[in-house]
CSV table of all heavy atoms in Angstrom, one decimal:
chain,number,residue,atom,x,y,z
A,135,PHE,N,-25.5,17.3,-8.4
A,135,PHE,CA,-25.5,16.6,-7.0
A,135,PHE,C,-25.0,15.2,-7.2
A,135,PHE,O,-25.6,14.2,-6.7
A,135,PHE,CB,-26.9,16.7,-6.4
A,135,PHE,CG,-27.4,18.1,-6.2
A,135,PHE,CD1,-28.3,18.6,-7.2
A,135,PHE,CD2,-27.1,18.9,-5.2
A,135,PHE,CE1,-28.8,19.9,-7.1
A,135,PHE,CE2,-27.6,20.2,-5.1
A,135,PHE,CZ,-28.5,20.7,-6.0
A,185,ASP,N,-21.2,24.7,-6.8
A,185,ASP,CA,-22.6,24.7,-6.5
A,185,ASP,C,-23.4,24.5,-7.7
A,185,ASP,O,-23.2,25.1,-8.8
A,185,ASP,CB,-22.9,26.1,-5.9
A,185,ASP,CG,-24.4,26.3,-5.6
A,185,ASP,OD1,-24.8,25.8,-4.5
A,185,ASP,OD2,-25.1,26.9,-6.4
A,187,ARG,N,-26.5,25.1,-8.6
A,187,ARG,CA,-27.3,26.2,-9.1
A,187,ARG,C,-26.4,27.1,-10.0
A,187,ARG,O,-26.8,27.6,-11.1
A,187,ARG,CB,-28.0,27.0,-8.0
A,187,ARG,CG,-29.1,26.2,-7.3
A,187,ARG,CD,-29.4,26.9,-6.0
A,187,ARG,NE,-28.2,26.9,-5.1
A,187,ARG,CZ,-28.2,27.3,-3.8
A,187,ARG,NH1,-29.4,27.8,-3.4
A,187,ARG,NH2,-27.2,27.3,-3.1
A,207,PRO,N,-31.1,15.9,-5.8
A,207,PRO,CA,-30.7,16.8,-4.8
A,207,PRO,C,-31.0,16.3,-3.4
A,207,PRO,O,-31.9,15.6,-3.1
A,207,PRO,CB,-31.6,18.1,-5.1
A,207,PRO,CG,-32.8,17.5,-5.7
A,207,PRO,CD,-32.4,16.3,-6.5
A,208,PRO,N,-30.2,16.8,-2.4
A,208,PRO,CA,-30.5,16.5,-1.0
A,208,PRO,C,-31.5,17.4,-0.5
A,208,PRO,O,-31.9,18.4,-1.1
A,208,PRO,CB,-29.1,16.7,-0.3
A,208,PRO,CG,-28.5,17.9,-1.1
A,208,PRO,CD,-29.0,17.6,-2.6
A,209,LYS,N,-32.0,17.1,0.7
A,209,LYS,CA,-33.0,18.0,1.4
A,209,LYS,C,-32.3,19.3,1.8
A,209,LYS,O,-32.9,20.4,1.7
A,209,LYS,CB,-33.6,17.3,2.6
A,209,LYS,CG,-34.5,16.2,2.3
A,209,LYS,CD,-35.0,15.5,3.5
A,209,LYS,CE,-34.0,14.6,4.2
A,209,LYS,NZ,-34.6,13.8,5.3
A,210,TYR,N,-31.0,19.2,2.2
A,210,TYR,CA,-30.3,20.4,2.7
A,210,TYR,C,-28.8,20.2,2.4
A,210,TYR,O,-28.3,19.1,2.4
A,210,TYR,CB,-30.5,20.6,4.2
A,210,TYR,CG,-29.7,21.8,4.8
A,210,TYR,CD1,-30.2,23.1,4.7
A,210,TYR,CD2,-28.5,21.6,5.3
A,210,TYR,CE1,-29.5,24.1,5.2
A,210,TYR,CE2,-27.7,22.6,5.9
A,210,TYR,CZ,-28.3,23.9,5.8
A,210,TYR,OH,-27.5,25.0,6.3
A,211,GLY,N,-28.1,21.3,2.0
A,211,GLY,CA,-26.7,21.1,1.8
A,211,GLY,C,-26.0,22.5,1.7
A,211,GLY,O,-26.7,23.5,1.7
A,212,ARG,N,-24.7,22.5,1.6
A,212,ARG,CA,-23.9,23.7,1.4
A,212,ARG,C,-22.9,23.6,0.3
A,212,ARG,O,-22.3,22.5,0.1
A,212,ARG,CB,-23.1,24.0,2.7
A,212,ARG,CG,-24.0,24.5,3.9
A,212,ARG,CD,-23.2,25.1,5.0
A,212,ARG,NE,-24.0,25.6,6.1
A,212,ARG,CZ,-24.5,26.9,6.1
A,212,ARG,NH1,-24.2,27.7,5.1
A,212,ARG,NH2,-25.2,27.3,7.1
A,213,GLY,N,-22.7,24.7,-0.4
A,213,GLY,CA,-21.8,24.7,-1.6
A,213,GLY,C,-20.4,24.9,-1.1
A,213,GLY,O,-20.2,25.2,0.1
A,216,GLY,N,-19.9,28.1,0.8
A,216,GLY,CA,-20.9,28.3,1.9
A,216,GLY,C,-22.3,28.5,1.4
A,216,GLY,O,-23.2,28.8,2.2
A,217,GLU,N,-22.6,28.4,0.1
A,217,GLU,CA,-24.0,28.5,-0.4
A,217,GLU,C,-24.9,27.5,0.2
A,217,GLU,O,-24.5,26.3,0.4
A,217,GLU,CB,-24.0,28.3,-1.9
A,217,GLU,CG,-23.0,29.2,-2.7
A,217,GLU,CD,-21.7,28.5,-3.0
A,217,GLU,OE1,-21.3,27.6,-2.2
A,217,GLU,OE2,-21.0,28.9,-3.9
A,218,VAL,N,-26.1,27.9,0.6
A,218,VAL,CA,-27.0,27.1,1.3
A,218,VAL,C,-28.0,26.5,0.2
A,218,VAL,O,-28.6,27.3,-0.5
A,218,VAL,CB,-27.8,27.8,2.4
A,218,VAL,CG1,-28.8,26.9,3.0
A,218,VAL,CG2,-26.8,28.3,3.5
A,219,TRP,N,-28.3,25.2,0.2
A,219,TRP,CA,-29.3,24.6,-0.6
A,219,TRP,C,-30.4,24.1,0.3
A,219,TRP,O,-30.2,23.4,1.2
A,219,TRP,CB,-28.7,23.4,-1.4
A,219,TRP,CG,-29.7,22.5,-2.0
A,219,TRP,CD1,-30.3,21.4,-1.4
A,219,TRP,CD2,-30.4,22.7,-3.2
A,219,TRP,NE1,-31.2,20.9,-2.2
A,219,TRP,CE2,-31.3,21.6,-3.4
A,219,TRP,CE3,-30.2,23.6,-4.3
A,219,TRP,CZ2,-32.1,21.5,-4.5
A,219,TRP,CZ3,-31.0,23.5,-5.4
A,219,TRP,CH2,-31.9,22.4,-5.5
A,220,ARG,N,-31.6,24.5,-0.1
A,220,ARG,CA,-32.8,24.0,0.6
A,220,ARG,C,-33.8,23.5,-0.5
A,220,ARG,O,-34.1,24.3,-1.4
A,220,ARG,CB,-33.5,25.1,1.4
A,220,ARG,CG,-32.7,25.6,2.6
A,220,ARG,CD,-33.4,26.6,3.4
A,220,ARG,NE,-32.7,27.0,4.6
A,220,ARG,CZ,-31.8,28.0,4.7
A,220,ARG,NH1,-31.5,28.7,3.6
A,220,ARG,NH2,-31.1,28.3,5.8
A,221,LEU,N,-34.2,22.3,-0.4
A,221,LEU,CA,-34.9,21.6,-1.5
A,221,LEU,C,-36.1,22.4,-1.9
A,221,LEU,O,-36.3,22.6,-3.1
A,221,LEU,CB,-35.3,20.2,-1.0
A,221,LEU,CG,-36.0,19.3,-2.1
A,221,LEU,CD1,-35.0,19.0,-3.2
A,221,LEU,CD2,-36.5,18.0,-1.5
A,222,TYR,N,-37.0,22.7,-1.0
A,222,TYR,CA,-38.3,23.3,-1.4
A,222,TYR,C,-38.1,24.7,-1.9
A,222,TYR,O,-38.8,25.1,-2.9
A,222,TYR,CB,-39.2,23.3,-0.2
A,222,TYR,CG,-39.6,21.9,0.2
A,222,TYR,CD1,-39.0,21.3,1.3
A,222,TYR,CD2,-40.6,21.2,-0.5
A,222,TYR,CE1,-39.4,20.1,1.7
A,222,TYR,CE2,-40.9,19.9,-0.1
A,222,TYR,CZ,-40.3,19.4,1.0
A,222,TYR,OH,-40.7,18.1,1.4
A,223,ALA,N,-37.1,25.4,-1.4
A,223,ALA,CA,-36.9,26.8,-1.8
A,223,ALA,C,-36.2,26.9,-3.2
A,223,ALA,O,-36.5,27.8,-4.0
A,223,ALA,CB,-36.2,27.6,-0.8
A,224,ASP,N,-35.3,26.0,-3.4
A,224,ASP,CA,-34.4,26.1,-4.5
A,224,ASP,C,-34.7,25.2,-5.7
A,224,ASP,O,-34.1,25.4,-6.8
A,224,ASP,CB,-32.9,25.8,-4.1
A,224,ASP,CG,-32.5,26.9,-3.0
A,224,ASP,OD1,-32.8,28.0,-3.2
A,224,ASP,OD2,-31.9,26.5,-2.0
A,225,LEU,N,-35.5,24.1,-5.5
A,225,LEU,CA,-35.7,23.2,-6.6
A,225,LEU,C,-36.4,23.8,-7.8
A,225,LEU,O,-36.0,23.5,-8.9
A,225,LEU,CB,-36.5,22.0,-6.1
A,225,LEU,CG,-36.8,20.8,-7.0
A,225,LEU,CD1,-35.4,20.2,-7.5
A,225,LEU,CD2,-37.6,19.8,-6.4
A,226,PRO,N,-37.5,24.6,-7.6
A,226,PRO,CA,-38.1,25.2,-8.8
A,226,PRO,C,-37.2,25.9,-9.8
A,226,PRO,O,-37.2,25.8,-11.0
A,226,PRO,CB,-39.2,26.1,-8.3
A,226,PRO,CG,-39.5,25.5,-6.9
A,226,PRO,CD,-38.2,25.0,-6.4
A,227,ALA,N,-36.3,26.8,-9.2
A,227,ALA,CA,-35.4,27.6,-10.1
A,227,ALA,C,-34.4,26.7,-10.8
A,227,ALA,O,-34.1,26.9,-12.0
A,227,ALA,CB,-34.7,28.6,-9.2
A,228,ILE,N,-33.9,25.7,-10.1
A,228,ILE,CA,-32.9,24.8,-10.8
A,228,ILE,C,-33.5,24.0,-11.9
A,228,ILE,O,-33.0,23.7,-13.0
A,228,ILE,CB,-32.1,24.0,-9.8
A,228,ILE,CG1,-30.7,23.5,-10.5
A,228,ILE,CG2,-32.8,22.8,-9.3
A,228,ILE,CD1,-29.8,22.9,-9.5
A,241,SER,N,-36.3,12.5,-0.4
A,241,SER,CA,-37.0,13.2,0.6
A,241,SER,C,-38.4,12.5,0.9
A,241,SER,O,-39.0,12.1,-0.1
A,241,SER,CB,-37.3,14.7,0.2
A,241,SER,OG,-38.2,15.3,1.1
A,243,ARG,N,-41.0,13.8,2.1
A,243,ARG,CA,-42.1,14.8,2.2
A,243,ARG,C,-42.5,15.4,0.9
A,243,ARG,O,-43.5,16.1,0.8
A,243,ARG,CB,-41.8,15.9,3.2
A,243,ARG,CG,-41.7,15.3,4.6
A,243,ARG,CD,-41.2,16.5,5.6
A,243,ARG,NE,-39.9,16.9,5.2
A,243,ARG,CZ,-39.3,18.0,5.8
A,243,ARG,NH1,-39.9,18.7,6.6
A,243,ARG,NH2,-38.1,18.3,5.4
A,244,ILE,N,-41.8,15.1,-0.2
A,244,ILE,CA,-42.2,15.7,-1.5
A,244,ILE,C,-42.6,14.5,-2.4
A,244,ILE,O,-41.9,13.6,-2.6
A,244,ILE,CB,-41.0,16.5,-2.1
A,244,ILE,CG1,-41.5,17.2,-3.4
A,244,ILE,CG2,-39.8,15.7,-2.3
A,244,ILE,CD1,-40.5,18.3,-3.8
Side-chain angles (χ1 to χ4, degrees):
F135 304 95
D185 178 78
R187 291 164 300 184
K209 290 178 283 187
Y210 177 85
R212 287 190 178 274
E217 306 93 337
V218 176
W219 165 268
R220 294 183 177 87
L221 183 66
Y222 294 100
D224 298 316
L225 186 60
I228 200 170
S241 171
R243 296 174 294 173
I244 187 167

